[in-house]
Amino acid sequence: MPVAEDLRRLLNLAARGDEAAFEALYRAVAGPVYGVAQRTLRSPAHAEEVAQEVLLEVWRTAAAYRPERGSVMTWVLTIAHHRAVDRVRSAQASAERDHRAGSRAPSQDDPPDEQAVRSLERQRVRSALTHLSTAQREAVVLAYYGGYTQREIAHRVGVPLGTVKTRIRDGLIRLRTAITPDGDRPGPSEEPSGSVPGPGRVAGAWR
């Protein structure tokens, strides 16, 4: 096991794009990272997924490490712990949402007109999602169907929290516009100024 100074040197090199240094760092921390994830998640498959996410985040954010806040190993394992806890919370939120959805599921005894309205609403939402950019659709689906918080989404897709908030806000604006019947849509003067990004802004958000 490399000593703390060796890990710091490897991380500094990785922050400058040295892939060989990152491979050495990866070999040094992968085991402990998996161990933290496994103890929290109690699932080898989920622990492996979280470990990969953590190591990818370490590669992406190596330059953000600050020695005064602790050793490299402490920094990496803290990221692992947070990721694992986020995964547990997300799973719990998903289970609770499924339970609520099940309790609200339309009964076959409901009047046919109510069943038809619910079916039409689901179809309209699915259709409206196609009007969103790829980035907006990903953020909206993760938030409203995946049960992730905005901060969890930012970690998951590797973009700043502010970018996630913008994607969700603009995606919901487009959804509302797509779902609202033509006769009820606001006129050009009523559209929120600058809310919906053009292609260049969306593309730039990924870089």
Side-chain angles (χ1 to χ4, degrees), residues 72-95:
V72 170
M73 184 64 78
T74 298
W75 178 66
V76 172
L77 295 184
T78 298
I79 294 174
H81 175 71
H82 289 164
R83 281 276 186 165
V85 170
D86 286 347
R87 178 66 67 94
V88 170
R89 290 174 176 169
S90 175
Q92 291 174 341
S94 179

Side-chain angles (χ1 to χ4, degrees), residues 3-16 21 24 72:
V3 298
E5 291 75 11
D6 291 335
L7 292 180
R8 186 182 302 179
R9 178 180 59 82
L10 292 172
L11 185 65
N12 288 336
L13 291 171
R16 295 196 288 269
V72 170

Side-chain angles (χ1 to χ4, degrees), residues 5-57:
E5 291 75 11
D6 291 335
L7 292 180
R8 186 182 302 179
R9 178 180 59 82
L10 292 172
L11 185 65
N12 288 336
L13 291 171
R16 295 196 288 269
D18 188 326
E19 295 184 5
F22 179 72
E23 289 179 5
L25 179 67
Y26 184 109
R27 289 193 295 270
V29 304
V33 165
Y34 175 81
V36 168
Q38 169 68 356
R39 285 193 296 273
T40 303
L41 296 167
R42 306 292 183 183
S43 165
H46 288 172
E48 289 179 5
E49 291 178 3
V50 167
Q52 290 299 321
E53 292 175 2
V54 169
L55 293 165
L56 178 58
E57 183 173 350

Side-chain angles (χ1 to χ4, degrees), residues 188-207:
S189 63
E190 297 173 321
E191 291 287 352
S193 176
S195 293
V196 180
R201 180 175 164 193
V202 171
W206 283 103
R207 294 193 290 269

